[in-house]
Each structure stands twice: as C-alpha cells, then as structure tokens.
Amino acid sequence: MDQEDRIALFLDYENLALGARDHRGGMAFDFRPVADALAERGRVVVRRAYADWSYFDEDRRMLTRSHVELIEIPQRMGASRKNAADIKMAVDAVELAFERDYISTFVICTGDSDFTPLVHKLRELNKRVIGVGVEKSTSALLPPACDEFLFYDRLEGVEVPEARGRRARPARVPEPQPVGQEPEPQPAEEEAPRDVDTLAVLVAQTVAGLQGSSSGAVTASTLKRTLLRKDPTFSESDYGFRTFGELLRHLAAHNVIELAEGPAKGDPEVSLPEHGDREVAFGLLRTVVQELAGSDGTVALSGLKNQLRRARPDFSEKKLGYRSFLQFCKAAATSGVVELRWSPEDDDYLLTAKAP
C-alpha cells in the first residue's frame, strides 16, 4: 500500500455537468466512470465537488452515494458565483498540497482554462496533476498543462450517443448521408490502421530520443510517462488496445520496436531494432542513389525521399526513429552506406553510394 499513489479529487461540478449535458445529447453526468479510471491510478483519499447544489438535486444523491464531499457555493450574481466556486476550489487544493505531503496526485475535473494556474502551481509543488473534462467543453489550454488529461467522453463506461462521433467528424456525415442508420458506422470508424501508423512514428521517435538522452535502458513505464508528457491526452485505448503492453507487443510484431526482459516484471525494456528494417532502408537508399547518380556519381538530397517512396511506398524514416530524412541519411553515412557532404555551389547536400 505504501507504493500506491494517494489521490485528491476536486470536481468543478457545474462545468462537468453542463458540459456533459450540452455536448452529450442532454445526458446526465455519471461519476462512476471517473472513479473507476482513478481506481486504476491509485488510492483516492479526498473527494470534493463544488457547486450550488440546489441546481443539481439528483446529482447530489449520486455523488453522496460515491462518498464525495459536497462543497456548497450559493447562487450569487452572474460571474461572481462562478468566481467564488473557482477560487474556493483552487484555495482548497493548494492548502491540501501544503498540509498533506502524502498526497502525490491531484485530479482537477474541469474544462475551464481558469484552472491552468492552479495546475502549474501544483506541479511546481512536485504534485502530479491529472485533468478530467468533457471533450467539447474543455479549453485547449488546459490539457497541455497537466501530466495526464482524461476526456470524460472516452472513459470506459461512458455511453456516448450514436449521433455524436469523435472530433467533430460526424457533423459532416448527416449532410451527405441523411439516412438514419448511417451514423452507426461513424463512432466505430475503422481508422485504426492509419492511426496506428501515426502512433508507430511517435513511439519510434520517442524511443530514439530517450536512447539518445539517457545511457540507461528505456523501459515501458518510462516510455508511457514520456508519451504522456508529449501529449497528456494520450491513451492506448484510442488506438484499439486494452493495455499499453498490448500496444507495445503489436509494434514489436511489426518490427517498429524490440522488447526485452526489463528490471521489473511487466515492465519490459524497449529499443529500436538494430537491424532488419533499418538495414533494408539503408540498402534501399544506396540502390536509389546508385540509379540516380549523375556523371559525377552524386545525387542531391532534395527530392531524394520521393524517389525512395517510388521504389518503396511504405518508406518512412520516422518509423525507424529518425526525426528527419537528413538525419536518416547522416546515419546511413555513418554506417558507410553512402557518403554525404554539403555543396555550397548546389546549396544542398550531395550523396554518393559506397560499395557494399
């Protein structure tokens, strides 16, 4: 139990309830999916919700059954009521951060960007901050400020109306396809292959960056934390995987990464393949450079990537962990596959194929 994260949960309830009702077809906010998601992340020791509860009578009963402490913010005039709730919640959170050292994680449930300074302050106090908000009503400023951000709409157990769909895409569907059943395939859009390809690039680049900046092994837990730092809204479930381990095994099966036994059970080491696809890509580069070489035996870097893609349409240096095509060519030059030099006359890099 000493290893568990202690979590303090703060709900800007009016923001959540109205956000859910306005953007989820009038459906009521359900606290249970939030509680279940947090149970997977640690032990919740504080649960507080802030609102004028005279407006949320049924919700109050639901929250009380879930052992949430209800903080009453009486109705005032316009913005003063909103500010009163925000200020009270922020003051309580900072006070708790100073008084309860054992609380390691603060969960701020709101989509309001006014809480961004609170998030920054909690992180400054060495607290991990998880945000929770309704996707359509969450300010774009808030998720990047958090260590992790969970969209309420995507949590397990939240039933999203069929007409909704994700990322505003379904709005285009009813116009060309007015048929009643047509929205049905929309929430279950089969974009996974393209999405997973994009994810493979992100994972490969992240592993390459971690390997370059650290002398130690890259573990799955380190990789997950880094991905969340890059994108706090990241979740493997958005790509169709139940666990992060399942995602890694999928990428390993497609030779994007390699997995090895790590220092702890269930936390494997992750690395980029030393051979295989990279060597094949280097060989492809050498072949294309040889075929395109002019009388002086050189080929300009500009436009070369398109030539590689003509020969191999699935070529992507990013899947191999390289941030740019130039970086890939420099790695090939370091491996002795090609010679790479800058030409001031051509204002470009020139490549020359080397004999195998």
Side-chain angles (χ1 to χ4, degrees), residues 174-220:
E175 294 177 17
Q177 296 288 350
V179 183
Q181 280 94 339
E182 202 57 37
E184 189 171 324
Q186 195 64 28
E189 281 178 339
E190 294 300 330
E191 287 193 65
R194 186 169 69 239
D195 285 345
V196 173
D197 283 346
T198 302
L199 179 62
V201 170
L202 175 63
V203 170
Q205 288 181 329
T206 304
V207 173
L210 288 171
Q211 288 179 331
S213 61
S214 173
S215 57
V218 178
T219 62

Side-chain angles (χ1 to χ4, degrees), residues 74-115:
Q75 176 74 47
R76 295 284 191 273
M77 291 292 294
S80 64
R81 177 177 64 86
K82 175 186 181 300
N83 290 342
D86 292 358
I87 293 170
K88 174 63 174 169
M89 182 168 149
V91 169
D92 286 357
V94 172
E95 181 181 43
L96 202 66
F98 280 106
E99 290 185 349
R100 304 287 188 269
D101 289 340
Y102 58 82
I103 295 179
S104 57
T105 302
F106 282 74
V107 179
I108 308 299
C109 295
T110 183
D112 192 343
S113 62
D114 289 351
F115 285 97

Side-chain angles (χ1 to χ4, degrees), residues 192-244:
R194 186 169 69 239
D195 285 345
V196 173
D197 283 346
T198 302
L199 179 62
V201 170
L202 175 63
V203 170
Q205 288 181 329
T206 304
V207 173
L210 288 171
Q211 288 179 331
S213 61
S214 173
S215 57
V218 178
T219 62
S221 58
T222 300
L223 176 60
K224 177 69 178 287
R225 286 194 298 269
T226 305
L227 290 171
L228 283 170
R229 283 196 289 268
K230 287 185 171 185
D231 178 8
T233 68
F234 169 81
S235 173
E236 59 274 4
S237 63
D238 289 341
Y239 298 89
F241 299 98
R242 294 169 296 179
T243 65
F244 190 62

